[in-house]
């Protein structure tokens, strides 16, 4: 993914051309074709069958074990150029005897997804895991009943509601939450001008754990896909997740992403830097010869590439 401002730098390394699939479609054309045909699986955030409505209905149908909690609000965006309307950042708490147990009163597990807006399948994996637990409880499966009796499971299905909705309304490959980095910029506020390539902050580089450690693990210019933001924890999405972690102190946390068949664990800020908890992570994730999930490659986060200000690094460190 590259924006027009990146083209000059890329052309120094060779010719630049649009990727096309076997049918000759660019990624933008392919996304438009899929949208026009009607999605069979994917749901947006705002629509009548979107994630916000889905979570409300799911809680209403399972009030004995499920609670919906608003942990923050976003900046809000309107791709049509109207007033911005903040969106709720929602966490779902799943546990037995939900009404009579306080948040954090049992050991907590946190499943989060969609910190990066375009990674649609991450949210779907997390949503289906939530429904798997609910189904197991209703069917009185002993393992699930035991887990919900002794543990509280927290699901943040869409960490980045603004960016996620924008992948439906504007740019299918958008990644970041939608901080306006050039307020009052040139031109009328029409859909193509409202959100530009210089907007947004990478939520997975905004946490106060080795934030701004170097310019390799996060970006310093606003147009960079890994732009870290003007300060550590500057973004409402980051603040919401930090507040949740400080409340429930999760014993285990997984942040779902997409693209690579990888099981990554802290730390990501520097190569060859395993943490003191490395034996635990290896026990969970497995080894190259015997991974915990078949077909996946486990390892320290920096084995993929370095990241500073990253969410699971923050969770592990704090």
């Amino acid at each position: 993914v590259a924006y027009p401002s990146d083209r000059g730098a890329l052309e120094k390394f060779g010719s630049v051309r649009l990727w096309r699939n076997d049918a000759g479609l660019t990624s933008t054309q392919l996304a438009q074709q899929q949208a026009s045909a009607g999605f069979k699986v994917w749901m947006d955030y705002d629509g009548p069958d979107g994630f916000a409505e889905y979570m409300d209905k799911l809680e209403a149908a399972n009030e004995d074990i499920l609670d919906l909690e608003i942990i923050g609000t976003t900046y809000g965006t309107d791709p049509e150029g109207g007033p911005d309307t903040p969106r709720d950042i929602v966490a779902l708490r799943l546990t037995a005897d939900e009404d009579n147990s306080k948040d954090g009163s049992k050991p907590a597990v946190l499943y989060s997804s969609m910190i990066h807006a375009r990674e649609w399948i991450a949210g779907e994996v997390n949503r289906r895991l939530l429904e798997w637990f609910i189904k197991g409880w209703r069917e009185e499966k002993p393992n699930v009943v035991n887990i919900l009796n002794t543990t509280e499971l927290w699901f943040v299905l869409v960490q980045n509601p603004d960016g996620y909705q924008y992948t439906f309304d504007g740019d299918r490959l958008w990644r970041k939450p939608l901080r306006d980095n050039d307020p009052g910029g040139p031109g009328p506020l029409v859909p193509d001008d409202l959100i530009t390539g210089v907007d947004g902050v990478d939520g997975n580089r905004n946490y106060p754990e080795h934030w701004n450690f170097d310019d390799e693990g996060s970006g310093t210019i606003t147009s960079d896909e890994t732009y870290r933001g003007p300060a550590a924890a500057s973004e409402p999405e980051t603040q919401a997740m930090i507040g949740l972690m400080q409340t429930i102190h999760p014993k285990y946390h997984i942040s779902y992403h997409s693209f690579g068949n990888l099981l990554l664990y802290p730390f990501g800020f520097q190569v060859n830097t395993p943490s003191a908890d490395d034996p635990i992570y290896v026990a969970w994730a497995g080894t190259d010869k015997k991974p915990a999930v078949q077909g996946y490659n486990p390892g320290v986060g920096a084995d993929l590439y370095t990241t500073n200000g990253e969410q699971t690094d923050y969770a592990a460190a704090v």
Side-chain angles (χ1 to χ4, degrees), residues 122-138:
E124 192 64 20
V125 165
N126 204 8
R127 183 186 75 82
R128 294 186 187 205
L129 177 62
L130 168 59
E131 292 212 2
W132 183 88
F133 275 110
I134 293 173
K135 184 173 184 285
W137 173 265
R138 298 296 176 214

Side-chain angles (χ1 to χ4, degrees), residues 125-305:
V125 165
N126 204 8
R127 183 186 75 82
R128 294 186 187 205
L129 177 62
L130 168 59
E131 292 212 2
W132 183 88
F133 275 110
I134 293 173
K135 184 173 184 285
W137 173 265
R138 298 296 176 214
E139 294 175 353
E140 299 182 356
K141 291 184 177 180
N143 286 345
V144 175
V145 170
N146 179 57
I147 288 171
L148 296 194
N149 277 332
T150 59
T151 312
E152 53 187 48
L153 308 182
W154 289 82
F155 294 83
V156 181
L157 302 183
V158 184
Q159 278 189 233
N160 177 10
D162 286 353
Y164 180 67
Q165 184 61 37
Y166 187 58
T167 62
F168 286 84
D169 295 337
D171 181 351
R172 169 63 186 90
L173 297 178
W174 188 264
R175 170 184 169 96
K176 300 180 281 186
L178 290 178
R179 166 185 281 271
D180 185 0
N181 290 324
D182 61 342
L189 290 179
V190 295
D192 288 341
D193 293 336
L194 182 62
I195 298 167
T196 71
V198 303
D199 289 326
V201 168
D202 185 346
N204 213 35
R205 304 293 189 278
N206 189 236
Y207 282 81
E209 167 54 31
H210 282 88
W211 182 83
N212 194 19
F213 181 69
D214 60 30
D215 290 341
E216 180 181 355
S218 61
T220 188
I221 60 174
T222 57
S223 60
D224 197 306
E225 290 274 54
T226 63
Y227 172 54
R228 66 179 72 96
S234 60
E235 304 312 292
E237 296 86 357
T238 310
Q239 295 164 17
M241 291 300 296
I242 288 175
L244 177 61
M245 291 184 209
Q246 290 177 342
T247 298
I248 67 174
H249 301 287
K251 299 292 185 183
Y252 179 84
H253 172 213
I254 183 167
S255 173
Y256 287 112
H257 293 257
S258 72
F259 180 75
N261 290 7
L262 301 168
L263 302 172
L264 301 179
Y265 47 82
F267 283 98
F269 74 94
Q270 186 168 280
V271 296
N272 297 322
T273 310
S275 74
D277 290 324
D278 204 57
I280 299 173
Y281 294 136
V282 173
W284 277 337
T287 63
D288 290 344
K289 291 184 177 180
K290 192 176 181 181
V293 180
Q294 187 174 0
Y296 279 65
N297 182 24
V300 176
D303 288 351
L304 174 63
Y305 47 69

